[in-house]
Amino acid sequence: MTPEEAEEALLNAPVPIYAHDIGGESRYVYYGETNSGRPLAVIVTEREELLRVLTAYDLDAAQKRDYLRRRMKGE
């Protein structure tokens, strides 16, 4: 996966999944799709008013089902 794919997933109407705090830093998990339709999980944090991608990875089967269910519900 490339940094551009992670950015695409964040720009293509991602679904917010959850937020958590690690060492005083808020981290946010989103599920989204690249322009080619590749479903990804993208973990970001806010730094200096910008989103910084910490990591991104392909969704597993259960995550894909969750993502599609949430999209159908309009989340």
Side-chain angles (χ1 to χ4, degrees), residues 5-37:
E5 288 177 305
E7 186 174 323
E8 288 174 7
L10 289 173
L11 293 173
N12 291 334
V15 175
I17 302 302
Y18 64 89
H20 62 280
D21 185 81
I22 296 181
E25 180 177 74
S26 294
R27 295 187 180 183
Y28 306 91
V29 178
Y30 293 92
Y31 290 170
E33 291 182 38
T34 65
N35 293 341
S36 66

